[in-house]
Amino acid sequence: MHFFRLRLVAALLIGITVISLGSTYFDVLAHKLYLQQDLKRRSQWFGAGLQAQIEREMAIGSPEELPGVLEHLRQYADQPGLAVYDTQGKLLAAAGETSPLKNISAGTFGLLKHPLNDGKEASAFVRVPVNEGQSFPAMGSVMNRGVNLLRPTRLWYEAAIPLHNGQRTIGALVMVANAEYIRADGIAVWRRSFLRIAAMVILIVVVTLVMVRWFLFQPATRAAEWLRRLRQGKADVDEGAKEFAFLLPLANEVTSIAENLTRARAAAEAEARLRDAAEHVWTADRLAVHVRERLGDGKLFVVSNREPYMHVRKGKETECVVPPSGLVTAIEPVLHACDGTWVAHGSGNQDKAFVDEHDRLRVPPEEPRYTLRRVWLSEEEEAGYYEGFSNEGLWPLCHIAHTRPIFRASDWNYYQRVNAKFAEVLVEEMRGTERPVVFVQDYHFALLPAMIKKARPDARVAIFWHIPWPNAEAFGICPWQGQLLAGLLGADVIGFHIQSHCNNFMDTVDRVLEARTDREHFTIRRHGHISEVRPFPISVAWDEHTVEEEPYAEFETDDPDEIQATSYQLKRDLGIETQHMVLGVDRMDYTKGIVERLLAVEQLLEDHPWYHEKLTFVQIAAPTRARIPSYALLRTQVQETVARINGRFETSQWKPVILIERQCSHAEVRRYYCAADICLVTSLHDGMNLVAKEYLAARKDGDGVLILSRFTGAAQELRDALLVNPYDIVQVAEAIHTGLEMSVGERRLRMERMRHQVKEHNVYRWAAAVLTDVCAVRLATDATGYPTSPQNHTPDSLTELTY
């Protein structure tokens, strides 16, 4: 600390001194120049006043009178000394304190050259030695400019003006002025500046040391004390950030370190509690360690249509947005642990501005841990592959929602092209990587596993199908079912949500392709390649020690009084006065049963009119796929149904249905979860439906009722929910009534059992199960020991498939 102060004081002394001396030097030069110009101007004015009279005297031709004339003209002692020379440089007359000018010759007086020869004025400042007892220098010394540096010198100003008679030059008037006061003034300026510089240096050093002590050393000492107490678990993260407010970048970094330390301590404490209770709850940290051990020196590559981070312009600023997706929550800890690569469609309107020349960027932005590789699609490709084949074809095909799938040859061509484009990008990213592991997400990339296997037989490939798999008869509608199945069977592990989807897939392969299916081990062997078919029920995150940073994190609580206050505040924000709130959270999708749900609420109000002005149903419906006609039609139908129900039942103080048509953040939705008495999850058909599990995870108070469709994957795990047939409007209405009238004890018992199920089988356990199975795959090898492709040959192109 003392050494730092000494260095700081020395640096201040040197810096301020150098700057001050430089500034003073230029000030002295400017002052000296001003005095010289002033002396020159006054001498010129004085000489101009004498020139005419001396010219008349010389023209008359009486040289003997010139000395008297000069003495008469030089009225004051402080005026310049005067001398008149003829054209030969001969001194004619002189006036001043002394007159030693008569012995000078023109040859030694260079100053007379311009006035006598060219008829021009001349002037100069000269420095000459001072003779003892002589107040005025010998003119010879002045004229010859000779200066002995060992003798005292004095500064003089000389000026010569030509004298004329008509157009003819007849001599020169020389003026010599003492300029020593200019040097004396410069020395005085230096002396004053030195005193000012010394005072300023001392003052600045003292003020700086005081400021450093007050604004740096003391806050740093307090911050160090905060870090020490934080390390001991005796301080909060927010407390210390205030100490660094004057250094924002340092504040951000130290706060991030403190938060990581807090998370690490909370995770360690949670693990200790779990070990003590003989429990095995999966956390993000445990998942990272587990997968790092399974991968070894391999590397993970994740492929999805939706990217984990996207850059979008909002007004004049660009923001990095995390799209709402449970997949990001599940996969990011794995990628953090192994520094993997996520390949996804760059859909943000500012995405291209934030990638390097290889279309890559490191994410998360605040603490980069893995690589995001963005793939660019044209509008035609996005419309054909995503909106067309994926969402107008495969989506309704796989969901039993009685919406006819649409298959177009042009959409299929785009689907093949985009899968091939992603395969090429993925192969490029895997170049130079040994033992890569590829995790493909969802129905957008059914062809991708086989393409990857053909290009990189040594890669272990898994694909997870996030939507249901229909029975073989239903899937037979697809004109290209064989190609889709062949693409999927390129994967080593094929995952679905529940066992019935695995059964349907096995039946479909049996019906369409020539392959050997093993129902005992649930494997499919085709062209020498074995694919394992497994159920992996996806879930939501469950990290009790997670530090929330979102705007509404304060509403996630287990205090009943705070829950009630949150519910009251939320109702005020919505502008409603009601006793019970029933909630629905979905995308605006025809598979979610939103219209049927609204009809059930209407039925409830008909059958149980005492709920009028006591119950409000809030439906959050995030817009999606708005350019697809079936989705636009659904939105219109939902809006009309809401308007009809409200028009039928609403009063001046109460509205039975509130429709929120916008994308809400996770934190906002949690606020509704905490306030809702009942959550309605009545999908017509769903692979899993994570809304049900999100609602359970959010209810830390242990209260609330979940009404769940039998046709969701979640229904097989959450047996304590009120299970309903979403097509049976009366049954759903009576389930709402049952939930509202259910005793507190039964509600809490059901909620406790369901929350325990979600806690034990969270999203980290899901990710660990999938990646454990794919990492354990044994690859077939040829005679050289190198992994072989399923077809035992190298393809000519990535789109080449064998059926």
Side-chain angles (χ1 to χ4, degrees):
M1 187 70 72
H2 294 294
F3 182 64
F4 172 78
R5 291 177 180 176
L6 289 176
R7 288 191 303 170
L8 180 63
V9 170
L12 286 172
L13 287 173
I14 295 173
I16 296 173
T17 302
V18 170
I19 294 173
S20 300
L21 290 177
S23 175
T24 303
Y25 173 75
F26 287 106
D27 287 344
V28 170
L29 285 182
H31 183 66
K32 180 178 179 181
L33 179 62
Y34 169 78
L35 294 178
Q36 289 177 345
Q37 294 293 334
D38 179 69
L39 177 59
K40 185 176 181 180
R41 183 172 55 255
R42 287 188 289 105
S43 297
Q44 288 177 342
W45 174 82
F46 180 62
L50 303 179
Q51 183 179 10
Q53 188 169 351
I54 294 175
E55 286 176 343
R56 284 196 300 271
E57 292 296 333
M58 291 186 68
I60 296 174
S62 53
E64 61 280 1
E65 298 180 2
L66 276 177
V69 172
L70 293 181
E71 291 291 345
H72 174 73
L73 294 176
R74 187 176 180 276
Q75 301 176 0
Y76 304 101
D78 60 346
Q79 288 180 334
L82 302 176
V84 176
Y85 291 83
D86 62 14
T87 55
Q88 302 302 317
K90 180 181 178 182
L91 179 65
L92 300 180
E97 294 182 4
T98 60
S99 303
L101 305 175
K102 300 179 180 179
N103 299 326
I104 249 351
S105 65
T108 60
F109 189 18
L111 188 68
L112 295 176
K113 178 179 179 181
H114 289 292
L116 297 179
N117 298 337
D118 304 328
K120 298 179 180 179
E121 295 182 3
S123 63
F125 284 89
V126 297
R127 188 176 300 280
V128 298
V130 178
N131 296 324
E132 293 184 8
Q134 181 178 315
S135 61
F136 194 88
M139 198 62 182
S141 301
V142 177
M143 301 308 173
N144 287 316
R145 313 297 194 271
V147 179
N148 185 346
L149 298 179
L150 298 178
R151 297 170 57 189
T153 60
R154 181 173 293 178
L155 184 67
W156 297 89
Y157 172 71
E158 304 173 356
I161 302 175
L163 301 174
H164 300 90
N165 185 3
Q167 298 296 324
R168 184 170 58 89
T169 300
I170 59 176
L173 171 64
V174 175
M175 295 174 290
V176 180
N178 187 356
E180 187 63 21
Y181 72 93
I182 295 178
R183 184 171 67 171
D185 276 6
I187 295 173
V189 171
W190 274 112
R191 186 180 297 108
R192 291 193 302 271
S193 297
F194 175 79
L195 297 176
R196 187 183 73 250
I197 291 171
M200 183 172 60
V201 167
I202 295 173
L203 181 61
I204 290 177
V205 168
V206 172
V207 171
T208 302
L209 290 176
V210 172
M211 292 179 66
V212 166
R213 180 177 180 82
W214 283 354
F215 297 110
L216 182 60
F217 290 158
Q218 290 184 357
T221 302
R222 291 195 300 270
E225 174 63 18
W226 163 67
L227 286 173
R228 184 186 64 80
R229 291 190 291 112
L230 183 68
R231 177 171 50 82
Q232 297 173 348
K234 299 179 181 179
D236 295 328
V237 172
D238 295 337
E239 175 187 344
K242 300 175 183 178
E243 301 295 344
F244 293 98
F246 69 105
L247 291 176
L248 186 57
L250 182 61
N252 293 336
E253 290 299 323
V254 172
T255 303
S256 176
I257 293 172
E259 290 175 351
N260 290 336
L261 181 61
T262 301
R263 290 192 184 100
R265 175 176 286 107
E269 292 174 354
E271 289 292 336
R273 288 195 302 269
L274 294 174
R275 286 194 299 270
D276 185 58
E279 296 182 1
H280 301 283
V281 175
W282 282 86
T283 64
D285 297 325
R286 181 179 175 184
L287 172 64
V289 173
H290 176 82
V291 174
R292 188 159 54 236
E293 291 176 350
R294 296 300 182 275
L295 284 175
D297 56 353
K299 187 175 181 181
L300 177 65
F301 298 85
V302 175
V303 185
S304 68
N305 177 72
R306 180 177 293 180
E307 57 184 334
Y309 296 90
M310 59 190 301
H311 290 87
V312 295
R313 180 176 292 279
K314 293 186 177 181
K316 295 183 179 180
E317 297 183 353
T318 298
E319 296 183 6
C320 184
V321 178
V322 180
S325 173
L327 185 65
V328 177
T329 304
I331 300 300
E332 269 210 314
V334 184
L335 293 173
H336 284 182
C338 63
D339 193 10
T341 298
W342 192 317
V343 180
H345 170 213
S347 56
N349 54 28
Q350 294 296 310
D351 277 354
K352 290 188 177 181
F354 290 87
V355 296
D356 60 16
E357 64 274 16
H358 301 293
D359 298 324
R360 303 186 186 109
L361 73 156
R362 298 286 291 174
V363 291
E366 66 279 1
E367 188 178 0
R369 302 286 295 277
Y370 67 95
T371 300
L372 171 60
R373 170 66 188 272
R374 285 171 171 160
V375 181
W376 314 115
L377 302 180
S378 65
E379 292 184 4
E380 294 78 11
E381 288 174 331
E382 187 174 358
Y385 135 83
Y386 179 75
E387 294 177 357
F389 190 80
S390 295
N391 291 314
E392 287 188 281
L394 291 179
W395 179 268
L397 174 70
C398 294
H399 289 85
I400 305 174
H402 308 291
T403 297
R404 179 180 177 180
I406 300 174
F407 293 105
R408 310 179 188 91
S410 59
D411 292 343
W412 169 246
N413 291 333
Y414 280 120
Y415 188 83
Q416 290 177 294
R417 181 189 304 178
V418 171
N419 272 248
K421 178 179 288 189
F422 270 81
E424 291 173 358
V425 169
L426 191 55
V427 170
E428 179 185 341
E429 291 296 319
M430 290 192 296
R431 187 173 293 118
T433 300
E434 296 183 2
R435 292 177 289 281
V437 176
V438 180
F439 192 12
V440 183
Q441 304 299 318
D442 226 351
Y443 59 99
H444 310 95
F445 301 109
L447 304 179
L448 191 58
M451 295 178 178
I452 296 302
K453 270 294 183 180
K454 288 184 176 184
R456 286 294 299 266
D458 60 324
R460 290 174 171 82
V461 182
I463 184 169
F464 188 79
W465 195 264
H466 287 262
I467 61 177
W469 189 275
N471 58 48
E473 289 78 11
F475 197 78
I477 296 174
C478 179
W480 302 282
Q481 57 177 327
Q483 291 94 319
L484 291 172
L485 291 172
L488 288 169
L489 291 176
D492 300 296
V493 176
I494 304 172
F496 297 96
H497 286 296
I498 57 179
Q499 185 62 50
S500 63
H501 297 162
C502 298
N503 298 340
N504 289 342
F505 181 77
M506 299 284 285
D507 293 341
T508 306
V509 173
D510 262 342
R511 184 168 184 153
V512 177
L513 299 179
E514 291 185 4
R516 180 179 298 176
T517 57
D518 183 348
R519 298 282 177 159
E520 181 179 357
H521 300 96
F522 267 82
T523 60
I524 301 172
R525 184 180 184 90
R526 184 170 185 267
H527 296 315
H529 177 258
I530 297 177
S531 299
E532 299 177 3
V533 182
R534 297 283 186 270
F536 300 106
I538 198 169
S539 189
V540 296
W542 191 287
D543 271 359
E544 294 179 343
H545 61 273
T546 297
V547 179
E548 285 291 347
E549 298 175 352
E550 298 187 71
Y552 297 100
E554 65 270 19
F555 294 105
E556 188 172 356
T557 176
D558 54 3
D559 188 335
D561 293 334
E562 292 188 25
I563 290 285
Q564 186 175 1
T566 297
S567 177
Y568 176 75
Q569 183 61 44
L570 181 58
K571 292 171 184 176
R572 286 192 58 184
D573 294 344
L574 294 173
I576 60 175
E577 295 182 5
T578 186
Q579 183 177 346
H580 303 289
M581 189 174 81
V582 180
L583 177 67
V585 179
D586 303 276
R587 290 181 298 106
M588 187 68 81
D589 194 291
Y590 52 76
T591 66
K592 303 303 180 182
I594 299 176
V595 174
E596 290 78 6
R597 194 179 304 162
L598 291 168
L599 296 177
V601 172
E602 183 181 27
Q603 185 71 41
L604 174 72
L605 296 176
E606 286 180 0
D607 296 343
H608 306 284
W610 53 85
Y611 286 126
H612 291 195
E613 299 186 355
K614 294 182 180 179
L615 180 145
T616 297
F617 174 57
V618 178
Q619 175 64 56
I620 299 175
T624 182
R625 305 166 188 169
R627 294 191 294 184
I628 298 177
S630 57
Y631 286 82
L633 179 62
L634 171 70
R635 182 187 180 194
T636 301
Q637 188 178 3
V638 169
Q639 291 173 339
E640 291 176 350
T641 304
V642 170
R644 182 179 58 78
I645 296 174
N646 284 336
R648 181 181 175 187
F649 295 105
E650 72 177 328
T651 65
S652 59
Q653 301 295 327
W654 171 69
K655 182 181 291 187
V657 180
I658 294 178
L659 178 63
I660 301 175
E661 290 188 89
R662 63 180 178 84
Q663 185 70 59
C664 296
S665 69
H666 290 299
E668 289 180 278
V669 174
R670 278 197 300 274
R671 190 185 183 198
Y672 285 93
Y673 286 152
C674 291
D677 300 283
I678 295 177
C679 183
L680 278 177
V681 181
T682 55
S683 303
L684 303 181
H685 194 200
D686 228 329
M688 177 55 67
N689 195 299
L690 293 179
V691 170
K693 296 185 177 183
E694 288 176 356
Y695 175 68
L696 298 174
R699 293 311 297 252
K700 293 187 176 183
D701 62 333
D703 204 354
V705 175
L706 173 64
I707 298 177
L708 184 60
S709 166
R710 298 180 182 275
F711 307 131
T712 63
Q716 297 197 12
E717 297 181 78
L718 307 176
R719 298 294 185 177
D720 285 284
L722 298 180
L723 301 180
V724 297
N725 178 354
Y727 293 95
D728 189 340
I729 305 302
V730 175
Q731 185 188 34
V732 176
E734 286 305 311
I736 299 174
H737 172 64
T738 300
L740 293 172
E741 300 299 325
M742 188 180 295
S743 67
V744 175
E746 184 178 356
R747 288 201 313 263
R748 289 187 173 275
L749 180 60
R750 287 172 177 263
M751 180 61 69
E752 180 184 357
R753 289 197 292 245
M754 289 189 291
R755 277 175 55 84
H756 181 75
Q757 172 68 22
V758 175
K759 178 180 179 179
E760 287 288 314
H761 299 83
N762 58 40
V763 72
Y764 303 119
R765 181 170 180 168
W766 169 82
V770 177
L771 294 172
T772 297
D773 280 9
V774 71
C775 289
V777 167
R778 295 181 179 180
L779 300 176
T781 57
D782 57 19
T784 64
Y786 188 77
T788 59
S789 65
Q791 287 75 29
N792 231 7
H793 76 286
T794 301
D796 295 330
S797 68
L798 289 173
T799 55
E800 177 192 343
L801 291 173
T802 303
Y803 310 116

